[in-house]
Amino acid sequence: MPPKERPQPKKWKPPKGPKPIQRKNKNTIGLGRAIQSARKQENVVEYLPDGEMRFTTDKHEANWVKLRSVTQESALDEFLSTAELANKDFTADRHSNVKIIRMDSNMDARTQPVGMTNAQKEKLNAKQREHAKDLIVPRRPYWDEFTTKTELQRQEGEAFLEWRRKLANLQESNEDLLLTPFERNIEVWKQLWRVVERSDLVVQIVDARDPLLFRSVDLERYVKEIDERKQNLLLVNKADLLTRKQRITWAKYFISRGISFTFYSALRANQLLELEKETSEFDQERMVQIDDEVTEDEDIDEEVKEKISILSIDQLEELFLTKAPSEPLTEPLPGKKPILQIGLVGYPNVGKSSTINSLVGAKKVSVSSTPGKTKHFQTIMLSDSVMLCDCPGLVFPNFAYNKGELVCNGVLPIDQLRDYVGPSNLVAQRIPKYYLEAIYGIHIQTRTKEEGGDGVTPTGQELLVAYARARGYMTQGFGSADESRASRYILKDYVNGKLLYINPPPHIEDDTPYTLEECREFNKDLYTFDRLPTTRKEQIREAAKAKGIDVVDLARDLKSLTFAAHTGGTDTKEAMSVTHGGKQAALYNAAEDLDKEFFKMNSIEGKLTDPFHRQNGNGSNSKKHNKKNKKARKKALMMAD
């Protein structure tokens, strides 16, 4: 039969009927149109006052992008920003031999010891005092109503570039000095210039835990340079974290140096405002100063006794009016009354916005625990004749012993932190081991002197491993302790005041810093049983009753108590190696333990008389290597039968 022919494929024919009509989108506003509109606005032609035409294809950043706080830059970003400030163009030479040297190489926390010795600290502090005059803030060039916008921008850029060059030369000429990260965005400094120029009283808000780190002496000079009639005031916020003795010590230092200061607590003031709304009978001054009652006579001056009190809201407002000039320095507009303007400046996260909210009596300014929440300077009317000016948080140039101080003081955001070892070492050095174990309910295993430690003060890694082990924070794979996650919790507790440490002032006689022993003595009243959280105190109290202890002394009794994940009562190795969250999480260095477990060094006698394949524990031979012997034995049994 002839092969059957395959049918030919049908040709495609367009469908019958009307052609489809593309409907117009009723939504006339979309992402594409928004992008087109933004591009048109970016590339618009501008005409300067002198008639010059300017056209650019560069992207115009939004205001919130311009006011981003920039405290650290890479080598390339710093070069580009410097070229932009200098209004210079540059070309890249591919064949040039360029070597970039990291100026912050000495800031690696892993290569630094846990703490500095007293001699090293005193030597470095002497050099910091010598170069303290070089820590300046950028000045705004002189301008008047006849200065054009273009001229002012050029002059500001040149002055700011010169300021950055001076700080760079200071860092390069003194390699052992550690210059803290400072604000490198000129747009943020412009906000400070505007606040200082218009304010009659400039209030520097500092953190009571380390006032001198947050105080800028050159800013006070700059205020007086603009107008001699302007006044300065140092507001020591978060003063409720200090004990009475610590406030006395700081007050004596400020008075001896002629610094105008006052103690205040914005957090407590806002809490009292909330309490005032709920209760009818309320005595604000009594609530603020309730912890200042003295049970024993103190031999202090009347001036010091008056200065150490934490002011109430009304007292702070009265102090502002007393310190400010009698008449406003800025001439009012025609038909307007003169207004006294008070500027609030300081580092991020020191409580400027919270202070304003307490003074106003309502939440007028947004507050966040993340540094740098306020972007623009804001004006708030306190009354018909008083206005507050809130400046964005600024990181002023200063000296520090290590970078971890800025993290622990809340200047640098913790959530964006990459190097957690340095700040964790600082926390482990400052807070006693027994208090860390008591407040977290953990057992910190420290290395002995033979292993490279001192057996008393834990390192940051030992603290993080113990915390992560107790909380069950583990990494994938090998299952070791998640130190990065544990560091974020511990550092936030330190910034929020749960782990408290107060830096003492320098000695009044010679401005030398306190030694490590003096710092521990200065803070010993902060690490008592009464300062623990309520739930933790109940656990320790129950554990102490089981041991027959009535009055708990953490430094003396904690090592013998067992509660939560803390083990005590014995110094045996088995008690020290209690695991929580997996065996590997409990090991600081697992190599030695894994070797012992693998080789079983304790069970090997080292006396072998037979080959290893003949030793199976029960005296019988292996069937794999003794097939002939097995057959011979089986044959002998058959012959016996």
Side-chain angles (χ1 to χ4, degrees):
M1 295 178 58
K4 189 175 181 181
E5 297 181 359
R6 295 181 179 178
Q8 295 294 332
K10 296 182 180 180
K11 294 183 180 180
W12 180 85
K13 295 182 179 180
K16 298 181 179 180
K19 294 182 180 180
I21 300 175
Q22 186 70 26
R23 300 294 181 182
K24 186 177 181 181
N25 188 5
K26 296 181 180 180
N27 185 13
T28 57
I29 300 176
L31 178 61
R33 294 180 182 273
I35 295 176
Q36 292 178 2
S37 177
R39 290 294 181 266
K40 290 180 181 179
Q41 294 178 3
E42 291 175 359
N43 301 330
V44 68
V45 178
E46 298 181 2
Y47 291 92
L48 300 181
D50 55 358
E52 181 183 356
M53 183 180 68
R54 175 177 292 181
F55 173 78
T56 179
T57 57
D58 296 336
K59 294 178 63 177
H60 289 233
E61 295 180 334
N63 290 332
W64 69 271
V65 178
K66 293 181 180 179
L67 285 171
R68 285 180 302 181
S69 179
V70 181
T71 56
Q72 300 182 74
E73 292 179 318
S74 63
L76 179 60
D77 293 336
E78 185 176 359
F79 170 73
L80 295 176
S81 60
T82 304
E84 182 179 0
L85 286 172
N87 198 17
K88 300 291 185 180
D89 195 5
F90 59 90
T91 58
D93 189 0
R94 182 177 300 178
H95 303 286
S96 62
N97 186 13
V98 179
K99 182 180 180 181
I100 299 177
I101 303 176
R102 288 183 57 88
M103 300 305 298
D104 58 346
S105 59
N106 60 342
M107 296 165 60
D108 187 5
R110 293 184 180 273
T111 61
Q112 292 181 349
V114 177
M116 301 178 62
T117 62
N118 294 328
Q120 292 174 341
K121 189 174 182 180
E122 185 176 355
K123 181 179 179 181
L124 185 58
N125 185 266
K127 195 159 190 177
Q128 290 178 359
R129 296 199 308 271
E130 179 184 353
H131 295 277
K133 62 181 183 300
D134 299 328
L135 295 175
I136 58 177
V137 298
R139 265 62 168 174
R140 189 179 191 181
Y142 173 78
W143 65 279
D144 51 24
E145 62 272 15
F146 302 105
T147 306
T148 62
K149 180 180 178 181
T150 306
E151 293 176 351
L152 183 60
Q153 288 180 349
R154 185 180 69 253
Q155 294 175 5
E156 289 176 347
E158 293 175 354
F160 189 74
L161 178 61
E162 183 64 24
W163 171 73
R164 290 192 57 173
R165 286 173 176 168
K166 290 181 179 179
L167 292 180
N169 293 333
L170 174 64
Q171 181 70 38
E172 292 177 2
S173 58
N174 301 276
E175 296 181 356
D176 52 344
L177 285 179
L178 175 59
L179 190 65
T180 62
F182 56 90
E183 185 59 58
R184 288 170 164 81
N185 189 356
I186 188 175
E187 298 296 333
V188 183
W189 286 103
K190 288 181 180 179
Q191 306 297 316
L192 175 68
W193 293 340
R194 297 169 66 184
V195 170
V196 172
E197 288 176 354
R198 64 185 298 170
S199 299
D200 304 318
L201 173 65
V202 178
V203 181
Q204 273 196 77
I205 301 180
V206 298
D207 196 317
R209 290 172 289 185
D210 195 356
L212 297 185
L213 177 66
F214 295 93
R215 178 182 176 231
S216 176
V217 180
D218 192 64
L219 178 61
E220 299 176 359
R221 301 195 198 102
Y222 181 43
V223 171
K224 289 293 185 179
E225 290 176 5
I226 295 178
D227 195 333
E228 189 66 28
R229 297 173 294 176
K230 293 179 180 290
Q231 299 297 324
N232 291 290
L233 178 64
L234 192 69
L235 182 65
V236 185
N237 193 25
K238 306 178 184 179
D240 57 320
L241 300 178
L242 277 67
T243 62
R244 182 180 177 86
K245 292 182 180 179
Q246 290 173 337
R247 292 204 302 272
I248 292 174
T249 306
W250 271 108
K252 290 180 179 180
Y253 176 80
F254 289 142
I255 293 175
S256 64
R257 298 297 184 266
I259 301 173
S260 178
F261 74 99
T262 185
F263 288 111
Y264 187 67
S265 175
L267 176 62
R268 179 178 296 186
N270 286 304
Q271 292 175 350
L272 296 178
L273 286 176
E274 295 295 331
L275 184 61
E276 184 179 8
K277 296 177 182 179
E278 299 175 358
T279 59
S280 57
E281 298 181 358
F282 184 77
D283 188 358
Q284 188 186 86
E285 295 185 6
R286 174 66 179 169
M287 291 295 293
V288 172
Q289 301 180 5
I290 192 171
D291 64 334
D292 285 339
E293 297 180 356
V294 184
T295 57
E296 57 183 12
D297 297 334
E298 292 180 333
D299 186 14
I300 59 175
D301 299 335
E302 291 296 330
E303 183 182 7
V304 176
K305 187 179 295 185
E306 180 183 356
K307 287 288 188 180
I308 62 174
S309 60
I310 302 176
L311 299 188
S312 63
I313 298 176
D314 297 335
Q315 291 173 341
L316 184 61
E317 293 178 358
E318 183 180 354
L319 179 64
F320 284 168
L321 298 178
T322 304
K323 290 292 183 180
S326 56
E327 296 182 0
L329 305 180
T330 305
E331 297 183 0
L333 297 175
K336 301 289 185 179
K337 296 189 301 182
I339 298 178
L340 179 66
Q341 302 186 50
I342 301 174
L344 304 179
V345 300
Y347 276 70
N349 206 25
V350 295
K352 296 186 300 298
S353 301
S354 300
T355 302
I356 291 178
N357 291 335
S358 64
L359 292 172
V360 177
K363 190 172 182 180
K364 298 291 184 182
V365 183
S366 59
V367 180
S368 174
S369 60
T370 303
K373 174 66 175 177
T374 305
K375 298 299 182 184
H376 301 266
F377 90 93
Q378 308 173 61
T379 57
I380 299 95
M381 295 301 300
L382 188 60
S383 65
D384 295 337
S385 58
V386 180
M387 181 171 61
L388 300 177
C389 299
D390 182 19
C391 179
L394 266 168
V395 181
F396 295 92
N398 205 339
F399 292 130
Y401 298 112
N402 51 54
K403 188 179 177 182
E405 288 187 6
L406 295 180
V407 179
C408 293
N409 283 289
V411 177
L412 300 180
I414 297 176
D415 292 330
Q416 303 175 12
L417 184 65
R418 294 183 179 180
D419 181 18
Y420 58 86
V421 179
S424 301
N425 284 336
L426 199 60
V427 173
Q429 177 194 2
R430 290 179 171 179
I431 310 298
K433 175 177 176 290
Y434 64 86
Y435 192 77
L436 290 171
E437 294 179 340
I439 200 169
Y440 289 127
I442 60 178
H443 186 90
I444 303 176
Q445 184 176 355
T446 58
R447 289 179 292 178
T448 61
K449 295 182 179 180
E450 292 77 9
E451 296 174 340
D454 58 358
V456 179
T457 303
T459 63
Q461 190 174 23
E462 291 169 348
L463 170 61
L464 298 180
V465 168
Y467 182 89
R469 180 184 67 187
R471 300 299 188 271
Y473 300 154
M474 312 292 294
T475 59
Q476 294 181 353
F478 186 68
S480 59
D482 193 347
E483 301 176 16
S484 177
R485 183 180 178 185
S487 66
R488 291 194 294 271
Y489 287 102
I490 293 178
L491 292 177
K492 287 182 179 180
D493 287 342
Y494 189 94
V495 172
N496 297 331
K498 184 177 179 180
L499 298 176
L500 193 55
Y501 178 84
I502 309 299
N503 281 276
H507 292 98
I508 299 179
E509 298 80 12
D510 51 2
D511 264 347
T512 56
Y514 273 37
T515 62
L516 297 177
E517 294 76 17
E518 291 174 335
C519 290
R520 295 191 182 99
E521 181 68 21
F522 186 75
N523 289 276
K524 69 175 184 179
D525 295 336
L526 300 176
Y527 312 123
T528 59
F529 176 77
D530 296 332
R531 288 184 171 267
L532 292 175
T534 305
T535 55
R536 194 65 68 193
K537 285 195 294 186
E538 294 177 355
Q539 291 180 355
I540 296 178
R541 189 179 291 113
E542 293 296 328
K545 286 182 180 179
K547 293 286 185 178
I549 301 174
D550 297 330
V551 181
V552 180
D553 185 356
L554 295 180
R556 180 195 62 196
D557 304 328
L558 191 71
K559 59 184 178 181
S560 62
L561 303 180
T562 300
F563 61 96
H566 182 271
T567 58
T570 179
D571 295 333
T572 59
K573 185 177 180 181
E574 290 77 10
M576 296 289 288
S577 62
V578 173
T579 61
H580 300 274
K583 182 176 181 180
Q584 303 303 335
L587 301 178
Y588 175 77
N589 186 359
E592 182 180 356
D593 294 78
L594 290 177
D595 289 344
K596 289 182 179 180
E597 182 180 359
F598 180 78
F599 291 105
K600 296 181 180 179
M601 301 298 294
N602 297 330
S603 62
I604 295 179
E605 298 179 357
K607 296 180 181 179
L608 300 178
T609 57
D610 297 331
F612 70 92
H613 62 273
R614 293 181 179 272
Q615 293 184 355
N616 52 10
N618 55 2
S620 61
N621 296 326
S622 174
K623 65 177 182 178
K624 181 177 180 180
H625 300 283
N626 297 277
K627 291 183 178 180
K628 294 182 179 180
N629 297 337
K630 185 178 180 181
K631 290 181 179 179
R633 192 181 305 111
K634 187 177 180 181
K635 186 177 180 181
L637 291 174
M638 291 176 64
M639 293 294 293
D641 294 339

